[in-house]
Every structure is written in C-alpha cells, then in structure tokens.
Amino acid sequence: MPYPSPTNSARSGSKKTPSDIRWPTRTIDVGPPEGTSEPFLSINNQKNEQSFQNDKTSRSWVALSHCWGGHSPVMTIVGNMHEMKKAIPMSILPPLFRDAVIITRRLGFRHLWIDSLCIVQDSPEDWDHEVTQMGNIYASSVLNIAADSSRNCDDSILGRRHVAFPPIEITFKSHHHHINGTMFVRPCLDSWKAVLQYESNLSPRAWVLQESMLASRTLHFCKQQILWECRSLRIAESCLTPISAPIPGLRKVHNDDWSLNKQFLLFVIVKGEAGSAEKARDILYLQWYTVVEQYSLRKLTVLNDKLPALASLACCFRDLLEDSYHCGLFGSDLHRGLLWQTQDRLSARYATSYRAPSWSWASVDGPVKFQFLAIRGAPRQCHTEVLQVETCFRNRGHNDRGNDFLKTEDKFKPLDSIARQGTTDVNQGEHSARATIVPEPDVHSRVAGGFIILCGPWRAADEWNTVIADKDSLRLKDKDHDDGIVTCYFDIASPGKIEQWSQIRNTYGFLHISSTGIPTRSEGQVMALILESTLRASDEYRRVGIAFMSFKMVDNASQSWRKRTVMIV
C-alpha cells in the first residue's frame, strides 16, 4: 500500500477522510480532556475504527517522537499487556509520557501513539510487523509531538524554560498615540536552525528523520520555545514571521537545509510546477541523496537498523518515483547512486555484522557524501550498463550469514556458487538465470544478501606504473601518458590501509561508471568504482572505494580499458 503523500495536503496537512485512514495496531486512549479516567492501551480493530469515524475526538491520533536514552521504565510486553489494556495509571508514567498525555488531551484528541507502549517490546514478531507500519503511523497522525528538549523519558517537556532571564515587565506610555500600559521584554531566543540542528536531542537520532519528514504537522517542544512545522509554513516563538513553502528549484530555504523540511516534497509532487516529469524525477533523486547524507550523520542504538530506520521514507520516494529500491539506492539512477563516498575515510569502518552489499552506502559506519551534489547533479553520462540487481531480506531471528546466500524459490543458495556457475552465462548475456529472487521484498526487513551485475570499461590497478601514497588516498600514475593520474579514495583508510592498498594492486581494478563534462572535447572527470576480488569467483568483486580521473587520460589510454561484466556483492 503506498504511503500517504503530500499530494492531498491542505495548508497544514492531509484532507483524507476518516475512512481512508489506516489505524495503528494499538494506541493509548488518553481519556476525556478533563482527565477523569486513566489512559489505557487500546487495541484498534475494524469494529473500533468504525466507532472512531463517528467520534470527532477519535478520528486520528497524536504520535510522539522521543529519545529512549537507554531505558524506558514503562513499556508493553507480552506479560503485562492484559493489565495495560485495563489502565496505565498516570502515576506510573515517566514525566515525558505524562506530558504527552496532557498535551493530547488539551488539544482535544483521544489517542496517542508511543513506540515503547504501542509495540510489544519483547516480541520480535510484533516489531517486524510494526516497523512496516511506521510510515503510516506518522504520515497519517494528526500531529507529531517532538520532544526535542528531552534526553529521555524522565525529562519533562512542559517544565521550566531555559532562558537567560524571565520576561521583564516595563511601563509603556505614548502621549502621541494615547497609549498607557505595560510591555514585556524577554531575551532573544535562538533561531530555528540553531534549535533543531544543534540543540535538539532528537536531531542526532536516525529514526526521527523519517518520523519528522513524514508527519504532516509537528509541534517541537524545545528548551526555550515551541516551534510549529507543517507542509505550508514553519513558525517559531523567536520569529513570528512564518517561513513559507520553498520556491520550486531552490536548494535552500531561509538558510535551512531543505532536505530536513517537510515542505521539500511539495513542488516535486505537483510536477507541472517543477517543469517536465523527467526534471521532477531528477530533482527527487537528488533530494534522496541529500537525505541520505544527512541521515548518515545520525546515530543508531542498534546499528543493523540502518536501512529499516529509513525504510518508510524510502517507500515514499519509491512510490513517487515509481522506481525499484535496493539497499538505499534506486534502480533507475544507479549510475549516480553508486558513487557515494565516506566523508571521513580515516574514521569510517565497515559494519561488524552484515547489513548491506558492499555497493550500498549502508555497508559502512560513518557519514557519507555524494560529491556530485555540489556540481548541480552531475554526472550525466553513464558508461556502465546495469544488467541485474537483486536483494533479499531476512526476518529477525535468521542468523547473520550476510552475503553468503540469496533466497531462491524454496531455499537459500550460496552466492559464490551462483557466481561460479553463472560467470560464463553472464558474459553471454544470460544473466537472468543466475538466481530467482522473491519479487517486491519487504524493504523494512534487514538485508540478508544482494548483488549487482554491471558491464562496462575495466582496467586493473596494477597496470599503472607509479604509486604515490597520501594520508587518506592513493594516486596511481601512468608514465606513458602525461594526464594518466588516478586518484583513489578508499572507503576505509585507517592507519596502514593506504600502504596496504599500494602493495596489493593486483587484487583490485576500476570499473568506469559515469562522467561529467563534455566527452567530445575531452573535458570533465571520469568516476569509477574501485573493486577488489573476493577470490571466490573470477568475476566476483566487492566495492572498496571510488576513483577519479580525467577524460583526457581515458582517451589517451582507451585501448587499455576493456569491456567486462562483473558481479559486485
């Protein structure tokens, strides 16, 4: 089912009728606004949903975004669910949850969604199901309460504000306008950007990115002030002049990063306003790469949640683009998506347990970047053909064998055997016979394995004569050509790694992916993947980095590049 998108949004959110809303499995029924009854865990079945449609206060729910902070004193587990359905006394709720109940009541709503209370915490099966509903829960909620000032559930968001001094009352008189009264002066409050990007306890959390972007309305409770954000405007107590929706095509909105703004999809959805459908799709792809850059800066308690924590937002992009989604990248734009780089190669690390194929940015721990975003979406020329890309997923509980298997129709088949038996077939173009993968997999699950088969210009690294090792990169120089320098940026460049790469050049090579500039004038830059042999099959490789070289170098040594088909795992 497609995720709710801003196409139906009014100035502040969706116009969906109650019958269109798909309710969460469970919510907290906070009771009447007067607080005359205790909250309780409500199980939302079809019968309940029908009654909700007839009750204005029960037609939607409020969703809470918060930091766990390592613990939650109250949570729903299999053993206490019966009691939770009877009552969840306010006296046992931590301060943050009590505040969320109070806010929900005072805004006139009856239902509240809190992850630790509405997901059965000791049931992997329930987590598997509920994580697939996360996009709908936030996108269809009437309001998202963001507890930006809270470090964990023990911190109240309705407590005393952190300001330099309280407002000062000053007598005000104007003889000219015949005004006689008082006014209040308060210290200048921090800007929107400072509050949400630098001071918020939520901004470093990976899961919160999609919660914030999918919700149609968010009320941010910060240390100094409350901020309002919807798809039409943003407003803060520090600046009561609304920040309106962005102008189509602009990369910045009032010096704030547009990719973190829930307005950012509007002009792409209305494709006529952004130009042609092709241009609109291109803008959306670039937006996705910006989102990935920002997301990779954030932290996860469970590192293997790296792809699941972004899956709901990915599904939204997938539906808008009408494209296939593979481990953080989209099938029709792989010539750009494969060109990610680690931002800090000295501190970046490979995931300790299998999380994604090596060609995905999710396979590394650390921030990533797409350098072409700084040059208006280049590259434009693609020199490698994508023959096949496949991914399979596991349910929680499967062992982390990683890229040792792919799921066939009735069993897991070793990848190395698939590669060995399919190498010659692939070279003859019969790549479809390699494996049968279940179509349209559940992208919310964790990845069990995957591969991509590419055909393009290839050259081995040991064909260059001279090696120059830098602190976090390697330069290869071809003495036969003046412009024959290849700059290699390996994904991981921890101490000793660069020297190691300089000595084992016979194990890796370069696959020419795409380029910028004007090839007919030999101007621009060529971008290639650095691929290391897995030693399991002659054409099976893993990605280890990205390389840059000039068009002139490729032209001068064109005979040294030969077309080759490789599988990257």
Side-chain angles (χ1 to χ4, degrees), residues 150-331:
S150 173
R151 295 164 300 177
N152 52 53
C153 58
D154 292 326
D155 286 348
S156 171
I157 55 174
L158 296 179
R160 187 179 180 87
R161 295 191 175 191
H162 298 264
V163 292
F165 56 85
I168 299 172
E169 185 177 359
I170 299 176
T171 301
F172 179 78
K173 293 182 179 181
S174 173
H175 297 293
H176 180 73
H177 294 285
H178 306 289
I179 298 174
N180 187 4
T182 58
M183 62 185 295
F184 289 87
V185 178
R186 59 161 172 78
C188 182
L189 302 179
D190 292 335
S191 69
W192 178 284
K193 184 174 183 178
V195 169
L196 291 190
Q197 294 193 23
Y198 306 120
E199 299 174 8
S200 169
N201 288 303
L202 289 180
S203 60
R205 287 194 64 222
W207 280 97
V208 171
L209 179 63
Q210 67 175 8
E211 295 172 7
S212 175
M213 296 178 79
L214 290 174
S216 58
R217 310 169 189 88
T218 299
L219 202 56
H220 297 273
F221 286 82
C222 307
K223 294 178 180 179
Q224 295 181 333
Q225 57 187 308
I226 296 175
L227 313 178
W228 168 264
E229 181 182 12
C230 65
R231 292 197 177 111
S232 298
L233 57 84
R234 301 185 297 171
I235 195 165
E237 291 181 62
S238 59
C239 180
L240 295 179
T241 302
I243 302 174
S244 57
I247 299 172
L250 288 186
R251 291 297 307 274
K252 296 287 184 181
V253 182
H254 292 264
N255 295 320
D256 290 332
D257 191 329
W258 71 325
S259 68
L260 303 183
N261 185 330
K262 54 177 93 259
Q263 303 165 4
F264 84 115
L265 283 176
L266 285 180
F267 73 88
V268 175
I269 302 295
V270 186
K271 293 182 178 179
E273 296 182 5
S276 67
E278 182 180 353
K279 180 180 178 181
R281 282 170 58 86
D282 189 62
I283 292 173
L284 198 53
Y285 282 125
L286 297 181
Q287 286 179 330
W288 173 253
Y289 299 131
T290 308
V291 168
V292 169
E293 285 187 346
Q294 295 293 334
Y295 176 76
S296 71
L297 295 167
R298 299 185 174 218
K299 298 176 182 178
L300 282 163
T301 303
V302 180
L303 294 178
N304 280 344
D305 284 344
K306 192 155 195 173
L307 286 172
L310 195 62
S312 294
L313 190 57
C315 287
C316 180
F317 273 82
R318 180 194 63 188
D319 295 340
L320 293 170
L321 288 165
E322 298 179 346
D323 198 356
S324 58
Y325 175 74
H326 306 277
C327 300
L329 302 175
F330 289 97

Side-chain angles (χ1 to χ4, degrees), residues 454-497:
L454 303 175
C455 181
W458 166 273
R459 191 176 179 189
D462 57 6
E463 295 179 19
W464 275 265
N465 309 103
T466 307
V467 180
I468 305 169
D470 296 323
K471 182 180 179 181
D472 64 349
S473 63
L474 193 67
R475 285 178 292 158
L476 306 180
K477 187 173 183 180
D478 190 340
K479 65 181 180 182
D480 297 329
H481 303 286
D482 293 337
D483 298 297
I485 295 179
V486 180
T487 305
C488 306
Y489 296 105
F490 294 93
D491 299 331
I492 310 297
S494 51
K497 269 288 186 181

